[in-house]
Amino acid sequence: MEKSLLLNALIYLAAAVVAVPIAKRLGLGAVLGYLLAGMVIGPWGLRLIDGVEDILHFSEFGVVLLLFLIGLELEPKRLWSLRRPIFGWGGTQVGIVTLALFGAAIGFGADWKTALIASLGLSLSSTAIVLATLSERKLTATPAGSAGFAILLFQDIAAIPMIAIVPLLGVAAVQGSDAGWLSAAKAVAVIATLIFGGRFLVRPLIRMIAKTGLREIFTAFALLLVIATGLLMEWVGMSMALGAFLAGVLLADSEYRHALETDLEPFKGLLLGLFFIAVGMSVDFGVFLAQPWLVLGLVAGFLLIKISVLYILSKLFKIARAQQFLFALLLSQGGEFAFVVFGAAAAAKVFTQETSSLLVVVVALSMVTTPLLLIFYDKVVLPYFVSTRQRPDDVIDDNENLVIIAGFGRFGQIVGRLLHANQVSMTVLDHDPDQIDLLRKFGFKVFYGDATRIDLLRTAGVAKARLLVVAIDDIDGSLRLIAAVRRAYPLLPIAARARNITHYYDLMDLGVTVIERETFDSALQLGRQALQQLGFGPSRAEQAAIKFRAHNLQTVHDIYPHHKDQQQMVSLARQARAELEEMFAHDQMIRNNEIAIGGETGKDPDADDGRD
């Protein structure tokens, strides 16, 4: 048994370590890498793993941990402020998608009970896939990400009554029972216990555990808390993930929030990866091979209906136009709770085991399509959308602005504010709709668009500009942009932000001469102030900073011709370090002489002479 467990763990880890980096390198994303790894090692691949259902059930704990950690980020006040998108948008999404799917199923001759349960189950989306994708693509704070999270939270709540009504439509409905009322009473009692316990019992316990100073015990308690909460919710027929989320919210304003996040994050990542692998293994290719065209038709029809409805709803929810189709694709797949709903439906004889297996395959395949649809969005839809479907207020005026700033984040904003304060006209390009709306409120003229697209720069008037300032975060994107501009407009002056020394040299390779490392001068100024705090006079501290800056810049330019020769580069860096040490030693010698002279004359060499 122990050998089997370790062998299975070896297979999971090896599959993940091999598949995920390859998928990431190919631009497919980590989620699809896990799914493909599961297909390869599962019953329909190399058959290295058995007992897929047990693994899937265990790995769902990764989703539970994910919801707990999300709950830790949401204080009760903030959660209350989200009640409208959660219940308004979430209820609308589940209701309209269910109606659309129900109508299609009835149209194709399905029994109304089968159609209803199937439509309810398919209206739910995958919390694990959507939230993992949002995190991987850094989309959590975007309008599409915020709306998607609110809807997913409602879906987790809605899954409870969905599972509860399944027996009422099957054989259990004939028997009659008061179990439904009893379950509801249990659920209310458990939620009340969680709220009371989270406020008055758990926090003192965490404080007591923390006082032991044993990190492993604190981690064990964090896991115990999540597992106990999840099992308690499951006992009353509710979602484990929803219970964990509620527990997280109740601890969101706790002083131990960050410690809990840090300790649970590695477990969440590993178990989520295992969950995606298990989903990949659960794809029953036997059902697919038996009726391939039926399965493909159901998957295509399901995705078409759900994406269409979600796209229409994105307009109703007033999501930024650039992200409406992204929102629809993110939530297009079936979800984890669909497996539970369909399993309960088969047990209650609402529909047959064959129908349940067919729908499970449809859900699993729809999960696999999500990363592929997002790749299609990145490569085909987004470029077309940006070039042909800009918002009306994003049309760039050809007003011959002197400067174009590409990227208006924390770095670009400082450059823009300085130019703006000195009445320099400029056109700013950024890709974050929220950022654009905010900056426009303060009088900045900012336009939506991918600044790395040369056609957008032409529209912005780059041919007439006197300077292009490249301040975008993405290193590869900035290099692509500058290379394209250099080819099209070789005489246009470019001032660029460098993220690190390697980026600095890459910019120099492209002929950029005005480059600033984003942290260099701020760190230098902090060092100057540190010298002053230690008793150095302002003049001496400033001269030390100026001397260091000049030496560093000279060293960077001396090394540049050899920056691709690692051995020569290391040798020159050591030589520069030795020169700097020699300079410090020389300065110290001068300083000692000044002290000696000051001792004779009674003058403090650190004192300001009024000439600063």
Side-chain angles (χ1 to χ4, degrees), residues 489-507:
Y489 305 99
L491 300 180
L492 175 66
I494 298 175
R497 159 201 194 179
R499 297 294 300 273
N500 50 47
I501 194 66
T502 303
H503 189 200
Y504 192 102
Y505 286 143
D506 289 338
L507 292 169

Side-chain angles (χ1 to χ4, degrees), residues 8 12 37-45 47-60 274-285 339 360 364:
N8 285 350
Y12 294 135
M39 292 179 185
V40 170
I41 66 176
W44 295 94
R47 300 182 181 179
L48 300 177
I49 300 288
D50 295 321
V52 176
E53 289 185 6
D54 294 336
I55 297 162
L56 187 61
H57 184 70
F58 171 76
S59 62
E60 283 177 0
L274 180 60
F275 172 77
F276 294 133
I277 290 175
V279 169
M281 290 191 296
S282 69
V283 178
D284 190 343
F285 286 98
F339 298 140
V360 166

Side-chain angles (χ1 to χ4, degrees), residues 317-567:
F317 299 158
K318 292 183 170 51
I319 294 173
R321 292 186 183 181
Q323 297 188 8
Q324 288 173 355
F325 198 61
L326 174 64
F327 166 80
L329 295 181
L330 276 172
L331 296 172
S332 63
Q333 73 293 121
E336 304 84 25
F337 286 114
F339 298 140
V340 181
V341 172
F342 298 153
K349 304 294 193 297
V350 175
F351 46 62
T352 64
Q353 186 62 50
E354 290 75 16
T355 302
S356 176
S357 299
L358 181 63
L359 290 173
V360 166
V361 171
V362 169
V363 170
L365 288 177
S366 73
M367 289 180 170
V368 175
T369 64
T370 301
L372 298 175
L373 289 173
L374 291 174
I375 293 170
F376 172 77
Y377 173 82
D378 291 338
K379 303 295 185 183
V380 179
V381 179
L382 185 59
Y384 174 80
F385 180 85
V386 170
S387 62
T388 62
R389 297 198 177 193
Q390 292 179 335
R391 297 185 297 184
D393 59 343
D394 285 338
V395 177
I396 301 171
D397 299 324
D398 186 7
N399 54 5
E400 299 189 18
N401 282 339
L402 298 177
V403 179
I404 295 175
I405 300 181
F408 212 60
R410 56 188 173 87
F411 192 94
Q413 286 174 27
I414 296 173
V415 178
R417 287 168 60 193
L418 178 61
L419 297 178
H420 185 71
N422 288 275
Q423 287 79 49
V424 176
S425 60
M426 57 187 172
T427 297
V428 178
L429 303 175
D430 200 81
H431 68 279
D432 186 346
D434 287 343
Q435 177 85 326
I436 291 168
D437 292 338
L438 174 64
L439 292 170
R440 282 180 173 173
K441 292 177 182 177
F442 288 92
F444 287 95
K445 198 165 188 179
V446 191
F447 299 97
Y448 176 81
D450 180 1
T452 63
R453 291 176 56 85
I454 191 66
D455 54 346
L456 188 66
L457 284 169
R458 288 196 182 99
T459 307
V462 68
K464 299 177 182 179
R466 290 174 53 184
L467 176 68
L468 170 65
V469 178
V470 180
I472 57 181
D473 289 331
D474 180 41
I475 292 177
D476 293 335
S478 74
L479 296 175
R480 286 197 306 271
L481 167 61
I482 292 171
V485 171
R486 275 281 172 257
R487 286 193 297 269
Y489 305 99
L491 300 180
L492 175 66
I494 298 175
R497 159 201 194 179
R499 297 294 300 273
N500 50 47
I501 194 66
T502 303
H503 189 200
Y504 192 102
Y505 286 143
D506 289 338
L507 292 169
M508 291 182 70
D509 285 341
L510 292 171
V512 182
T513 56
V514 181
I515 310 170
E516 286 296 332
R517 283 174 283 169
E518 63 180 29
T519 57
F520 180 64
D521 280 316
S522 57
L524 201 59
Q525 290 303 313
L526 183 62
R528 181 180 65 79
Q529 293 182 47
L531 288 175
Q532 289 184 232
Q533 290 292 320
L534 294 171
F536 284 60
S539 179
R540 184 180 170 215
E542 184 176 359
Q543 288 300 316
I546 291 172
K547 185 179 292 187
F548 182 89
R549 189 180 196 281
H551 181 269
N552 185 273
L553 291 177
Q554 185 61 48
T555 300
V556 168
H557 284 83
D558 288 344
I559 291 177
Y560 170 66
H562 312 283
H563 75 280
K564 294 183 179 179
D565 183 345
Q566 187 174 8
Q567 185 174 357

Side-chain angles (χ1 to χ4, degrees), residues 103-376:
I106 292 295
F108 280 95
D111 174 72
W112 75 269
K113 291 182 181 180
T114 301
L116 178 60
I117 296 301
S119 301
L120 286 170
L122 293 173
S123 71
L124 305 176
S125 304
S126 172
T127 301
I129 287 180
V130 176
L131 293 183
T133 303
L134 289 174
S135 177
E136 182 182 356
R137 290 168 165 257
K138 296 179 173 60
L139 295 171
T140 305
T142 63
S146 299
F149 170 72
I151 289 171
L152 288 169
L153 193 54
F154 177 83
Q155 288 180 358
D156 284 343
I157 298 171
I160 300 162
M162 287 183 191
I163 296 169
I165 68 169
V166 168
L168 302 179
L169 298 176
V171 176
V174 180
Q175 299 171 351
S177 174
D178 294 328
W181 291 104
L182 182 60
S183 297
K186 283 182 179 179
V188 172
V190 165
I191 292 175
T193 301
L194 282 177
I195 294 173
F196 176 81
R199 286 291 176 186
F200 302 106
L201 297 178
V202 174
R203 293 189 185 191
L205 275 174
I206 294 179
R207 195 172 295 113
M208 189 185 306
I209 296 295
K211 285 182 179 179
T212 65
L214 298 173
R215 174 78 179 272
E216 65 274 15
I217 298 300
F218 189 87
T219 303
F221 179 78
L223 288 170
L224 173 66
L225 175 65
V226 178
I227 293 172
T229 304
L231 289 176
L232 190 62
M233 295 293 275
E234 190 179 45
W235 175 63
V236 295
M238 299 182 72
S239 162
M240 290 178 65
L242 182 62
F245 173 79
L246 182 58
V249 170
L250 293 172
L251 293 172
D253 56 355
S254 163
E255 63 270 32
Y256 299 104
R257 187 188 89 185
H258 295 298
L260 289 168
E261 288 176 339
T262 303
D263 286 353
L264 293 179
E265 186 69 31
F267 295 99
K268 180 211 75 175
L270 284 171
L271 287 170
L272 267 183
L274 180 60
F275 172 77
F276 294 133
I277 290 175
V279 169
M281 290 191 296
S282 69
V283 178
D284 190 343
F285 286 98
V287 175
F288 175 76
L289 293 174
Q291 307 176 82
W293 295 113
L294 175 61
V295 172
L296 291 175
L298 287 173
V299 172
F302 162 58
L303 291 175
L304 180 62
I305 292 172
K306 195 168 183 179
I307 290 172
S308 300
V309 172
L310 288 168
Y311 183 72
I312 294 170
L313 290 177
S314 70
K315 297 179 180 295
L316 178 65
F317 299 158
K318 292 183 170 51
I319 294 173
R321 292 186 183 181
Q323 297 188 8
Q324 288 173 355
F325 198 61
L326 174 64
F327 166 80
L329 295 181
L330 276 172
L331 296 172
S332 63
Q333 73 293 121
E336 304 84 25
F337 286 114
F339 298 140
V340 181
V341 172
F342 298 153
K349 304 294 193 297
V350 175
F351 46 62
T352 64
Q353 186 62 50
E354 290 75 16
T355 302
S356 176
S357 299
L358 181 63
L359 290 173
V360 166
V361 171
V362 169
V363 170
L365 288 177
S366 73
M367 289 180 170
V368 175
T369 64
T370 301
L372 298 175
L373 289 173
L374 291 174
I375 293 170
F376 172 77

Side-chain angles (χ1 to χ4, degrees), residues 31-98:
V31 174
L32 186 57
Y34 284 120
L35 292 170
L36 293 175
M39 292 179 185
V40 170
I41 66 176
W44 295 94
L46 299 177
R47 300 182 181 179
L48 300 177
I49 300 288
D50 295 321
V52 176
E53 289 185 6
D54 294 336
I55 297 162
L56 187 61
H57 184 70
F58 171 76
S59 62
E60 283 177 0
F61 187 59
V63 184
V64 174
L65 281 175
L66 176 64
L67 265 294
F68 178 76
L69 292 175
I70 290 172
L72 285 175
E73 296 292 333
L74 288 174
E75 294 183 7
K77 289 182 180 178
R78 188 181 169 201
L79 182 63
W80 179 250
S81 69
L82 292 173
R83 63 190 183 281
R84 182 174 175 272
I86 291 173
F87 293 98
W89 296 359
T92 302
Q93 181 271 328
V94 170
I96 295 181
V97 170
T98 298

